[in-house]
Amino acid sequence: SSEPAAIQLSSAAVATLVSSSLSPQIMLSASSSCGIGSWDIGVAANVDPSPYDVDFGLPIGPHFAQRNPGERWDMLVRVASPNRLITFQVLLFIDVTALIAMDVSQGRDWLASRDQLVGFSLNDPAEEVLIT
């Protein structure tokens, strides 16, 4: 494995997903001990967040799809909570030389209560997005 902290590959060619990785692709390589052949495959290490943890990006495949400069895209924020959250705070730091946060919209599963919307602060300061 090109990233054993995320995906471990055993001598029997069994791959074990250990943790998430922001690498768009991790290369797994295996070869037969009798010289029949070798195999290479690129995979994404993307696990669900642990209970009460937060995950950014797509739930399946690479966390973030490759984009062209100036292209607008959505980034999912997933909070794994086995219970309804009464209060929470997610603070996202962004590299303002590479990204600009344009908007925050609430997903259908983010309703704090039936009448209360999730709050946010955008670009205050410029490198922060705060979701409360």
Side-chain angles (χ1 to χ4, degrees):
S1 170
S2 63
E3 198 170 324
I7 299 177
Q8 296 175 349
L9 192 59
S10 75
S11 59
V14 174
T16 303
L17 182 57
V18 179
S19 67
S20 286
S21 169
L22 293 179
S23 299
Q25 191 173 62
I26 295 174
M27 294 305 298
L28 301 179
S29 300
S31 60
S32 68
S33 58
C34 57
I36 294 174
S38 63
W39 303 268
D40 296 309
I41 186 171
V43 297
N46 190 352
V47 298
D48 284 334
S50 301
Y52 301 106
D53 200 358
V54 177
D55 192 41
F56 296 95
L58 300 170
I60 298 173
H63 290 275
F64 306 103
Q66 199 168 19
R67 301 290 181 203
N68 294 319
E71 186 176 356
R72 187 179 175 136
W73 54 279
D74 295 330
M75 181 180 65
L76 300 175
V77 178
R78 298 181 295 138
V79 178
S81 176
N83 304 308
R84 182 175 170 263
L85 295 176
I86 303 301
T87 184
F88 67 93
Q89 180 173 334
V90 176
L91 182 58
L92 172 65
F93 292 93
I94 59 173
D95 179 354
V96 294
T97 64
L99 295 173
I100 300 171
M102 304 288 289
D103 189 20
V104 174
S105 62
Q106 182 172 315
R108 67 177 178 270
D109 295 333
W110 274 74
L111 199 54
S113 74
R114 293 178 189 223
D115 302 318
Q116 181 182 4
L117 298 177
V118 172
F120 67 90
S121 171
L122 187 63
N123 301 324
D124 186 21
E127 67 277 357
E128 290 183 11
V129 175
L130 175 66
I131 304 170
T132 58

